[in-house]
């Protein structure tokens, strides 16, 4: 197997009349999804050559998924661009890609024009009307190999510009094959998609569904602000599997949603993105004692996850839940400051990962790629690459990895990986701001911005909301007379 479309083709044969994806407004069976993807692929193949990135500026939906698969049919790779992001950030992504073709909704045209994009624009309605060109699609497929790029996903960048992580077909095939087998995801499952499509948690939803013949239910983002509506929806759709960010699970348990209704068909809950507070885990386990709970860890650059930990015991509120052990076909190194591979319990090192699931690096950013994707120093006989995550961990007495912080100023907040430097870079673009510095308040789970300048906090907040995704906007702003000249902000009272 060398192409993720083989997942779709197999499921379209085996489960042709079964619903593959349902967003509450539109649902496609496997046969419909396969046919639609081929129509879209034929239309795109007439416009651009294989290997080209295609940004898709659309909300997540069944149609959006069909467009992604159509882009792959055309031999190209898709780039999810969430329209909730500010115009400036969308513009940065499009400038980095430097493309002359994108897909969007007609309702978003004013924003696309405001960003200054001048290339070709296509809508779903025109793509879906194209006839399937069998010979062209077959010829494209025959030229594809498993290391071709499947998607590029943009994450926060320390330079102030988001970085496009390039992930291949092989990386996804390798990961999803183990993922679905280990956690017993089958055609009987209904996967409740929580994550936006530009967040790599959604990759597990999409390709676990296509591989196994399961059904994916796309949950409207608005439902997460009202747990009773969310839980009614989970029950109505008979959802069995939640592959969610920790923050989404905590929102439900924190607002006592499970007191209202328990989604009793849910039997698998796999969470990632940040540390799961034990008190919230215990609430979910109390209401769903029969369900399997899995803690997952891993950055976008290694394709979703590289470690896992099955929750099989009670944890006290003071304990940290381990991130566990490496997935099959991954190798983990803990590298200390001396460059040694740490193996003793309790010793801290940076998590570095080897394996065929590593990304190809960052799109058009060789300098950042060279910093993070390096030659494995523990394999000197031939060249093997590892990814330096910047995350710190140690082994416990049971040989499980335990996450314990960041090596740099990157944080995990609301399930997203954020470079605090990107927020600071945006603040420093504002007139009348003499300087800004961000820290992360771990206890309160808030990004705190300190800034010097004659500007009111409300004005700074409005400025940042125009430039940054909502999850990156600081929750606390502190105006100070001047900023310290050292990295230590411990004297500033939060």
């Amino acid at each position: 197997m060398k192409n993720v479309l083989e997942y779709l083709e197999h499921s379209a044969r085996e489960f042709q009349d079964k619903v593959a994806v349902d967003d509450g407004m539109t649902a496609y069976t496997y046969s419909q999804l396969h046919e639609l993807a081929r129509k879209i692929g034929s239309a795109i193949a007439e416009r651009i050559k294989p290997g080209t990135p295609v940004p898709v500026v659309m909300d997540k939906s069944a149609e959006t998924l069909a467009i992604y698969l159509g882009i792959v049919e055309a031999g190209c790779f898709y780039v999810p661009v969430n329209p909730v992001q500010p115009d400036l950030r969308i513009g940065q992504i499009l400038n980095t890609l430097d493309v002359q073709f994108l897909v969007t909704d007609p309702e978003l045209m004013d924003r696309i024009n405001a960003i200054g994009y001048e290339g070709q624009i296509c809508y779903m309605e025109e793509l879906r009307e194209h006839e399937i060109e069998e010979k062209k699609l077959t010829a494209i497929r025959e030229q594809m190999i498993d290391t071709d790029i499947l998607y590029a996903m943009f994450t926060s960048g320390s330079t102030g510009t988001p970085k496009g992580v390039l992930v291949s077909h092989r990386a996804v095939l390798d990961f999803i094959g183990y993922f679905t087998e280990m956690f017993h995801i089958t055609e009987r499952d209904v996967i409740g998609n929580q994550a936006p499509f530009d967040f790599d948690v959604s990759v597990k939803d999409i390709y676990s569904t296509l591989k196994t013949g399961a059904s994916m239910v796309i949950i409207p983002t608005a439902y997460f602000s009202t747990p009773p509506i969310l839980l009614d929806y989970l029950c109505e759709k008979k959802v069995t599997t939640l592959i969610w960010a920790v923050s989404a699970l905590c929102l439900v348990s924190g607002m006592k949603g499970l007191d209202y209704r328990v989604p009793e068909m849910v039997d698998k809950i796999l969470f990632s993105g940040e540390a799961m507070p034990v008190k919230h885990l215990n609430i979910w386990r109390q209401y769903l004692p029969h369900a399997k709970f899995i803690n997952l860890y891993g950055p976008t650059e290694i394709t979703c996850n590289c470690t896992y930990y099955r929750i099989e015991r009670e944890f006290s509120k003071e304990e940290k839940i381990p991130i566990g052990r490496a997935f099959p076909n991954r190798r983990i190194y803990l590298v200390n400051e001396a460059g040694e591979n740490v193996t003793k319990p309790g010793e801290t090192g940076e998590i570095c990962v080897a394996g065929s699931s590593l990304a190809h690096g960052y799109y058009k950013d060789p300098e950042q790629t060279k910093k993070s994707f390096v030659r494995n120093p523990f394999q000197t006989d031939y060249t093997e690459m590892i990814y330096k995550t910047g995350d710190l961990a140690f082994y416990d007495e049971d040989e499980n990895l335990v996450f314990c912080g960041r090596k740099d100023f990157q944080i995990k907040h609301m399930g997203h990986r954020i470079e605090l430097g990107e927020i600071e870079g945006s603040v420093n673009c504002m007139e009348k701001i003499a300087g800004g510095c961000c820290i992360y308040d771990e206890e309160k789970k808030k990004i705190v911005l300190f800034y010097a300048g004659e500007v009111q906090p409300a004005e700074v907040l409005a400025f940042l909301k125009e430039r940054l995704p909502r999850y990156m906007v600081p929750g606390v702003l502190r105006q100070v007379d001047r900023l310290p000249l050292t990295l230590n902000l411990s004297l500033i009272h939060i």
Side-chain angles (χ1 to χ4, degrees), residues 326-354:
F327 270 89
N329 207 31
R330 313 286 177 101
R331 185 176 295 122
I332 303 291
Y333 299 94
L334 281 190
V335 182
N336 65 15
E337 292 295 331
E340 302 165 328
N341 184 28
V342 172
T343 57
K344 292 181 180 179
E347 293 188 14
T348 299
E350 179 184 5
I351 301 172
C352 298
V353 187

Side-chain angles (χ1 to χ4, degrees), residues 39 42-43 46-47 126-133:
K39 287 181 177 181
S42 299
E46 278 196 351
R47 292 164 167 83
E126 58 185 298
L127 295 174
R128 73 187 309 154
E129 296 302 321
H130 202 285
E131 291 187 4
I132 296 173
E133 298 186 23

Side-chain angles (χ1 to χ4, degrees), residues 168-217:
S168 70
H169 287 259
R170 170 49 49 202
V172 171
L173 292 169
D174 181 77
F175 174 70
I176 292 295
Y178 291 114
F179 185 80
T180 53
E181 180 181 354
M182 291 168 62
F183 305 126
H184 308 291
I185 298 172
T186 72
E187 73 277 6
R188 294 184 293 275
D189 281 305
V190 178
I191 298 174
N193 162 254
Q194 167 264 321
F197 282 178
D198 64 335
F199 187 21
D200 72 347
V201 174
S202 67
V203 171
K204 291 173 278 191
D205 297 331
I206 292 169
Y207 293 105
S208 294
T209 297
L210 298 180
K211 180 185 188 301
T212 63
S215 296
M216 183 172 77
V217 171

Side-chain angles (χ1 to χ4, degrees), residues 29-70:
T29 65
Y30 273 101
S31 60
Q32 290 171 334
L33 183 62
H34 185 217
E35 180 181 13
L36 184 53
R38 290 174 67 75
K39 287 181 177 181
I40 294 168
S42 299
I44 291 175
E46 278 196 351
R47 292 164 167 83
I48 55 176
K49 64 181 181 180
T52 304
V54 180
V56 182
V57 188
M58 293 175 64
D59 287 318
K60 65 177 184 176
S61 69
E63 289 191 342
T64 305
L65 176 57
I67 291 169
Y68 291 170
L69 295 171

